[in-house]
Amino acid sequence: MRMDFHWFLPTNGDSRDIVGGGHGVPVGAAGGVRPLTIGYLGQIARSAEQLGFVGALTPTGAWCEDAWLTTAMLTEVTERLKFLVAFRPGLVSPTLAAQMASTFQRLSGGRLLLNVVTGGESHEQRQFGDFLDKDARYARTGEFLSIINRLLRGETVTHEGEHLRVENAVLSRVPETRPAIYFGGSSQAAGPVAAEHADVYLTWGEPPAKVAEKLAWIRTLKPDMRCGIRLHVITRDTAEEAWAEAARLLRNVSEEDIAAVQAGLNRSESVGQRRMLELHGGNRDGLVVSPNLWAGVGLVRGGAGTALVGSHTEVADRIEEYAALGIGEFILSGYPHLEEAYWFGEGVLPELRRRGLWSHPAGDRGTSTSAIPFAGVPIQSPS
């Protein structure tokens, strides 16, 4: 099975500490000292591209910058990297969304991936003028994706559903390759929508046994569904160094920060968020929930709250374990995102290559020292 790795673009700012934001979490509750600029995001994107990541996920929500605009700018400073653009169905017309996707795909040279976020928090959805409840949002997402998929195939679409209506909708130009659709959701309403309309089903990083249960569920609905996982990573030359970094991250977090973030997260409507909370129970004890799987990030961050922590070999072992369950796509991140991309890209990816499990998406060009500025250049002795 093909193994692809993606990185993350922190469009609400970055830090050497855990940055909150999203899923009801106050932005900046646990740090945020690197303000967002295209220059800094460009550094992360170019590094991810060089290291061998296929794409980069950009989040969506009231707490971060717009994913479409940000990634469109970043296509100009990268060559191969794809952008996994998170968007919320129903906030714009499906015809307009299909037109945006088609334009992005064509002008970027086929570098768009779509991450569908139905929206788990009604209070945040209402900020965007969306007053449907959670089940209705999933039903609308199904209609939305049906329309957008048909449009991207070049069909003329007339649709009159419970939530959406279009008449004789058509794209003037259809992209050569339809962007793949990534979809996550742990509630019962999410499964049928993912099975019918998505190319990749995503889960947050739970212990392998729980991930296996979730994949078995989704594959009862779509046996050939490609699956991916969203995790943070802290990987170092030794396990001791990695766990010391995890401990450092929590040393900079106060009990007041944890209490405030957990109060917000406990109001979440998201089943996936509830599963994340159950891993740590809101306290610092028992954060290692499975070998090398640490739930400390979720104390002060909504959404993905677990990290793979360990030596490069140990992290590669855990990735191989998830791959054996049927996970083919890994969407990763770490604090700060520039440095952690290098720790993973220079430590874990070469180990996976040695095991015959991964190859650089750029082929031989990606393994040549010439791809790294100044690598292989002889050092001149001073005269």
Side-chain angles (χ1 to χ4, degrees):
M1 179 176 61
R2 187 182 82 251
M3 192 181 290
D4 289 338
F5 292 90
H6 308 266
W7 198 241
F8 184 83
L9 295 173
T11 57
N12 62 317
D14 202 3
S15 175
R16 293 186 181 274
D17 298 320
I18 300 171
V19 179
H23 301 274
V25 181
V27 174
V33 297
R34 293 186 186 176
L36 169 70
T37 65
I38 287 296
Y40 180 62
L41 289 179
Q43 282 184 281
I44 298 173
R46 287 190 296 273
S47 297
E49 183 174 68
Q50 172 215 309
L51 291 164
F53 293 94
V54 170
L57 171 66
T58 305
T60 183
W63 50 277
C64 60
E65 299 291 348
D66 178 75
W68 290 98
L69 294 175
T70 303
T71 54
M73 294 179 184
L74 292 173
T75 61
E76 290 297 291
V77 298
T78 51
E79 297 177 357
R80 172 189 51 79
L81 191 73
K82 296 183 180 182
F83 294 97
L84 184 48
V85 175
F87 77 102
R88 303 189 181 208
L91 301 187
V92 298
S93 147
T95 307
L96 177 58
Q99 184 183 44
M100 292 163 62
S102 177
T103 300
F104 195 117
Q105 186 75 326
R106 189 169 57 257
L107 297 184
S108 70
R111 292 197 282 149
L112 176 66
L113 305 169
L114 294 172
N115 179 33
V116 178
V117 180
T118 299
E121 315 302 338
S122 291
H123 71 89
E124 186 183 21
Q125 293 296 122
R126 288 194 288 268
Q127 295 182 47
F128 292 97
D130 178 14
F131 289 83
L132 295 182
D133 63 25
K134 184 179 176 182
D135 285 344
R137 289 198 295 270
Y138 274 113
R140 181 183 60 195
T141 295
E143 291 186 39
F144 188 97
L145 292 178
S146 174
I147 295 169
I148 199 172
N149 271 322
R150 292 176 64 192
L151 288 169
L152 290 172
R153 288 195 298 264
E155 298 181 27
T156 299
V157 180
T158 294
H159 173 92
E160 186 169 353
E162 182 180 358
H163 301 288
L164 297 172
R165 180 180 178 181
V166 298
E167 184 174 324
N168 294 323
V170 64
L171 295 180
S172 62
R173 297 184 68 180
V174 177
E176 291 185 9
T177 304
R178 180 183 69 83
I181 292 176
Y182 291 63
F183 187 95
S186 298
S187 67
Q188 288 301 307
V193 177
E196 185 173 356
H197 303 290
D199 301 289
V200 180
Y201 174 76
L202 295 177
T203 179
W204 285 330
E206 299 181 33
K210 289 184 176 292
V211 170
E213 292 174 3
K214 191 179 285 188
L215 300 193
W217 163 62
I218 202 68
R219 284 181 173 141
T220 63
L221 303 171
K222 186 177 180 180
D224 61 346
M225 175 68 83
R226 184 165 172 81
C227 296
I229 195 166
R230 172 78 179 92
L231 287 157
H232 304 279
V233 285
I234 304 173
T235 177
R236 295 292 187 271
D237 294 342
T238 67
E240 292 75 17
E241 291 173 290
W243 287 109
E245 175 62 13
R248 185 199 67 79
L249 287 174
L250 281 194
R251 278 200 304 271
N252 293 337
V253 174
S254 70
E255 294 302 322
E256 291 75 18
D257 284 336
I258 294 174
V261 171
Q262 292 300 302
L265 294 178
N266 274 290
R267 294 191 293 269
S268 174
E269 301 169 15
S270 166
V271 174
Q273 184 64 74
R274 186 161 64 245
R275 291 169 70 106
M276 285 284 101
L277 295 177
E278 289 170 355
L279 293 176
H280 54 68
N283 61 71
R284 298 173 187 259
D285 300 324
L287 290 175
V288 182
V289 296
S290 184
N292 302 105
L293 186 64
W294 181 67
V297 177
L299 291 177
V300 284
R301 184 195 191 278
T306 53
L308 294 179
V309 181
S311 68
H312 306 311
T313 300
E314 289 173 334
V315 171
D317 289 342
R318 300 288 78 78
I319 286 173
E320 190 170 358
E321 184 177 7
Y322 282 118
L325 299 178
I327 295 290
E329 310 236 354
F330 295 81
I331 302 175
L332 308 174
S333 57
Y335 301 102
H337 289 76
L338 179 61
E339 288 90 326
E340 287 298 333
Y342 276 97
W343 278 114
F344 187 87
E346 294 178 338
V348 179
L349 289 182
E351 173 62 24
L352 293 171
R353 182 193 288 121
R354 282 191 290 272
R355 299 182 189 189
L357 299 173
W358 174 82
S359 59
H360 198 292
D364 292 340
R365 289 191 303 115
T367 60
S368 170
T369 56
S370 63
I372 306 174
F374 311 116
V377 177
I379 299 175
Q380 300 294 323
S381 300
S383 55

